Amino acid sequence: MTPSHPAPPTRPRSVPVTWLRGVGSWIRSAPGTYVWLAALFVTTVIVHQMSPDFEEDFLRQRSTNIHELSQNPVRVLISSAFWIDGGEWVPYAVLYTVFHAPAERRLGTLRWLVVVAAAHILATLVSEGVLAWAIRHGHAPESAANTLDVGVSYALAGVVAVLTYYVQRPWRYVYLFAVLVVYGVPLITGPTFTDIGHFTAALIGLACYPLTRRRHGRRHRRPLRPLRRETKPSPAQ
């Protein structure tokens, strides 16, 4: 018999390697969030190369204002979600990691995308509809029809709200109260059309409760039991 050799001792993984693998695993668990965030990084870099005057005109053409919505509604509803007004990308990286990524992990990419699209599109239409009414009745200047309005805040508000259903009770009610305060107080202190859009997006996120239930129900279905085969008694010999 050949003598057995002991297995060589395994080297413990270094902290940076473990951390990088954890980050990679987290990103892979929310692909939609981080693909979107990467696109925002690229567009932010592009904006930083523009002159201030050209940047304003460029973003205005991609804004979901009344003028652009009446001319190219589909184009601006999509393009406005890939540009950030102000050029600060890092805060959005934090917000996407704190809110979007957990929502996508719990809902699944498709349902998360439904919440994002519903909040972004419907809140935009509601807020711009209110602004159009205000212009028509003299409560806002006509120049507001061509205002600069790009960004991802409506989608973020919807996702922040839908996460309410994943907070354990009794903290769920505390979280819900905080959401309503953050998005509701500006409507009292001095509302703008963007404040109306944020509050509408939060309500849309809360209305997406059925999406959270279907996902939850599937996870807790009992596995099917295998059919038992009836064994015939062997004939006596």
Side-chain angles (χ1 to χ4, degrees):
M1 297 179 62
T2 57
S4 60
H5 298 283
T10 57
R11 294 182 180 179
R13 294 176 181 173
S14 61
V15 174
V17 172
T18 304
W19 184 82
L20 287 174
R21 289 188 176 182
V23 171
S25 176
W26 175 266
I27 292 175
R28 287 192 300 271
S29 69
T33 294
Y34 290 101
V35 168
W36 190 8
L37 193 60
L40 289 174
F41 177 79
V42 173
T43 57
T44 301
V45 172
I46 293 173
V47 166
H48 278 293
Q49 310 306 314
M50 300 177 182
S51 66
D53 292 338
F54 181 80
E55 175 187 342
E56 182 177 353
D57 184 62
F58 180 85
L59 293 180
R60 195 180 304 278
Q61 294 177 19
R62 287 152 181 81
S63 295
T64 50
N65 54 44
I66 296 173
H67 174 73
E68 293 295 336
L69 282 172
S70 63
Q71 301 293 324
N72 304 288
V74 176
R75 179 180 65 82
V76 295
L77 282 170
I78 296 174
S79 63
S80 64
F82 290 94
W83 300 91
I84 300 173
D85 183 21
E88 294 294 334
W89 180 83
V90 174
Y92 286 96
V94 175
L95 292 172
Y96 271 49
T97 300
V98 172
F99 295 106
H100 274 294
E104 184 179 358
R105 293 183 67 188
R106 287 166 172 80
L107 287 165
T109 300
L110 182 59
R111 290 185 177 89
W112 165 79
L113 190 58
V114 170
V115 175
V116 166
H120 175 69
I121 294 172
L122 297 179
T124 295
L125 296 179
V126 169
S127 62
E128 293 299 327
V130 171
L131 180 59
W133 178 90
I135 293 173
R136 189 177 301 113
H137 291 82
H139 300 296
E142 292 186 3
S143 59
N146 199 30
T147 188
L148 196 155
D149 184 21
V150 295
V152 296
S153 58
Y154 292 168
L156 179 62
V159 166
V160 168
V162 80
L163 280 174
T164 300
Y165 304 114
Y166 293 102
V167 179
Q168 296 295 324
R169 294 183 179 91
W171 299 107
R172 177 180 301 179
Y173 306 108
V174 177
Y175 182 89
L176 175 60
F177 178 76
V179 170
L180 294 177
V181 167
V182 168
Y183 294 113
V185 167
L187 295 179
I188 302 173
T189 57
T192 64
F193 77 95
T194 53
D195 295 328
I196 295 172
H198 288 140
F199 188 74
T200 302
L203 294 181
I204 292 168
L206 293 174
C208 290
Y209 172 64
L211 296 177
T212 66
R213 287 197 62 185
R214 281 199 289 268
R215 182 74 177 179
H216 180 80
R218 285 184 180 181
R219 284 185 176 181
H220 289 82
R221 285 181 180 175
R222 293 182 178 179
L224 295 175
R225 296 180 179 178
L227 295 175
R228 294 181 179 178
R229 294 182 178 179
E230 294 182 0
T231 57
K232 296 182 180 180
S234 58
Q237 296 180 354

